[in-house]
Amino acid sequence: MIPFLDLNQVNAPYIQKITEASSRVINSGWYILGNELKTFEKSFAEYCEATHCIGVANGLDAITLILKAYDFPAGSEVIVPANTYIASVLPVNYLNLVPVFVEPDPRTMLIDPLRIEKAITANTRAIVTVDLYGRSCEMAPIQALVEKHHLKVITDAAQAHGATYNGHKVGSLADATAFSFYPTKNLGALGDAGAITTNDAQLADKVRYLRNYGSFVRYQNEYQGLNSRLDEMQAAILSVKLPYLDAENERRREIAGRYLSGLKCKELVMPPGDRIQDDAWHLFVVRHPRRDELVTFLENNGVQTNVHYPLPIHKQKAYSALKDLHLPLTEQIHREVISLPLNPVLTDDNIAYIIQTVNQFDYQ
């Protein structure tokens, strides 16, 4: 069986350095808000071409803290993609804001800039873009809308470490960008971890307070904050892995290129390959009208797949109030998507076998 993702294999090349870094943290006696965090924040900010990086506990908290720092009035509208993981939207509700769902571009499956402006009202305060599957959204038209309507743009880049747009790294394109370092990500920690990047010094300063109970000086609280800190252990592990991110992303691009040229299965809708070098290729997501049959066929033939994601947000029990929302493109995508294995430890033989097996689906 070719696994969808084997984290033991992914982390194996770095085990010695991770062990050394972990011992250094343990022996330091300092485990929260220390030098390991400062080192990683500086390195990741530079990597993202951003002025500031603030390490936080996870990607969900990263979005929450950005929205909390902006302090939009309760009931303000925030435009969000209809096709995304629920973590991109939960913070909007947590803060008593109103998510306004916008359908995707059917080609990229990312939020459609042409549909965004129709959703903007006098009550809109921000747009949340999600760089789903590792590809940056079309930020130029979105930035034009932000400037025209005096909005903030927040990017959820949990799947897009190292992606670029018009020559600039994701993490420097929005007013603020949220990252997750969940273990499966292109840059993955060995536990929950996240960060925010921004070029806005005032926002960065406020987030630093908010992540630590609203305090920067111990026992003095300026805001009603959260406990959301990237700990020293995970920061040290991320510092070990960051220098290898570009090389791993390049391998992902090679694999994606092989898939794009080799997959010939009828009715298979492929991801766009026009910006293959800009895409971080966190996932290789295709669509097929008989998705469940294809999943079973591949599993029976030794290829493990995944579905990102099987049920759209507005059809989740947690959002039952939105069950009557009509989002046909998003609903079709969630019925049809399938993620093929794509990670740096796949061998050329693995890739050839996956391509061959997918193409055989037409002849079962």
Side-chain angles (χ1 to χ4, degrees):
M1 175 70 72
I2 299 174
F4 181 74
L5 179 65
D6 185 335
L7 288 178
N8 282 330
Q9 289 188 39
V10 168
N11 289 310
Y14 316 118
I15 289 300
Q16 182 176 344
K17 290 184 178 181
I18 288 172
T19 301
E20 292 169 356
S22 300
S23 295
R24 184 175 68 244
V25 173
I26 292 167
N27 293 329
S28 75
W30 194 293
Y31 309 125
I32 300 289
L33 297 179
N35 289 329
E36 299 288 351
L37 177 61
K38 291 176 184 176
T39 297
F40 175 70
E41 287 176 334
K42 181 176 184 296
S43 297
F44 194 64
E46 291 173 354
Y47 178 82
C48 293
E49 302 170 1
T51 309
H52 304 277
C53 171
I54 307 96
V56 298
N58 53 67
L60 175 66
D61 281 3
I63 303 171
T64 303
L65 286 162
I66 293 167
L67 288 169
K68 188 172 178 63
Y70 280 129
D71 197 21
F72 299 127
S76 296
E77 295 174 353
V78 177
I79 291 173
V80 297
N83 180 42
T84 187
Y85 183 55
I86 197 170
S88 305
V89 180
L90 286 172
V92 179
N93 296 98
Y94 288 164
L95 296 168
N96 296 314
L97 306 172
V98 179
V100 177
F101 292 87
V102 169
E103 288 263 65
D105 178 333
R107 178 172 168 270
T108 65
M109 295 185 278
L110 306 178
I111 193 168
D112 188 345
L114 296 177
R115 297 173 187 265
I116 291 175
E117 189 160 25
K118 296 176 183 177
I120 295 173
T121 73
N123 205 29
T124 306
R125 295 293 178 269
I127 302 168
V128 173
T129 64
V130 182
D131 296 337
L132 205 60
Y133 316 137
R135 180 185 176 105
S136 170
C137 292
E138 292 294 334
M139 293 303 290
I142 293 172
Q143 286 286 7
L145 288 175
V146 165
E147 293 174 11
K148 177 180 177 182
H149 295 278
H150 308 291
L151 307 175
K152 296 294 183 183
V153 60
I154 300 159
T155 292
D156 175 351
Q159 298 183 356
H161 314 77
T164 60
Y165 177 79
N166 286 347
H168 296 287
K169 282 274 179 65
V170 164
S172 65
L173 301 168
D175 291 304
T177 303
F179 288 92
S180 166
F181 303 116
Y182 186 75
T184 60
K185 305 302 185 185
N186 290 31
L187 179 61
L190 300 190
D192 279 319
I196 295 162
T197 59
T198 183
N199 292 322
D200 183 336
Q202 185 175 355
L203 178 71
D205 188 54
K206 189 170 182 180
V207 169
R208 289 189 183 99
Y209 279 87
L210 289 172
R211 73 173 173 184
N212 188 41
Y213 303 102
S215 171
F216 201 73
V217 176
R218 196 174 189 184
Y219 305 134
Q220 296 181 27
N221 302 80
E222 302 296 323
Y223 306 101
Q224 295 178 16
L226 306 177
N227 175 13
S228 181
R229 301 170 300 206
L230 175 59
D231 66 65
E232 290 289 279
M233 187 67 76
Q234 299 303 335
I237 291 166
L238 289 167
S239 289
V240 167
K241 297 179 72 175
L242 179 59
Y244 303 97
L245 177 57
D246 283 344
E248 290 197 350
N249 280 350
E250 192 55 41
R251 176 59 177 163
R252 289 174 179 272
R253 293 175 184 121
E254 291 174 10
I255 296 168
R258 292 273 300 276
Y259 282 155
L260 288 167
S261 62
L263 290 171
K264 306 296 182 183
C265 176
K266 288 184 295 186
E267 297 187 279
L268 196 71
V269 179
M270 302 285 279
D274 56 320
R275 286 169 39 201
I276 191 167
Q277 289 302 315
D278 294 327
D279 199 323
W281 293 103
H282 174 61
L283 298 169
F284 193 91
V285 179
V286 297
R287 290 167 51 195
H288 197 285
R290 293 185 289 141
R291 187 266 308 284
D292 293 344
E293 293 178 46
L294 178 56
V295 167
T296 300
F297 176 80
L298 293 174
E299 184 81 17
N300 290 340
N301 285 276
V303 178
Q304 188 180 55
T305 61
N306 211 326
V307 174
H308 298 90
Y309 300 96
L311 195 63
I313 294 170
H314 68 290
K315 296 298 183 182
Q316 299 281 354
K317 184 177 179 181
Y319 280 89
S320 57
L322 302 177
K323 66 180 186 299
D324 295 327
L325 198 59
H326 185 57
L327 297 168
L329 279 175
T330 295
E331 291 162 20
Q332 181 181 4
I333 285 169
H334 284 252
R335 287 193 302 270
E336 295 182 349
V337 287
I338 173 174
S339 299
L340 301 179
L342 195 163
N343 60 76
V345 299
L346 285 176
T347 67
D348 288 346
D349 286 345
N350 292 154
I351 299 158
Y353 180 76
I354 292 166
I355 292 170
Q356 174 187 326
T357 306
V358 172
N359 289 343
Q360 286 175 346
F361 181 66
D362 288 332
Y363 308 103
Q364 65 168 322

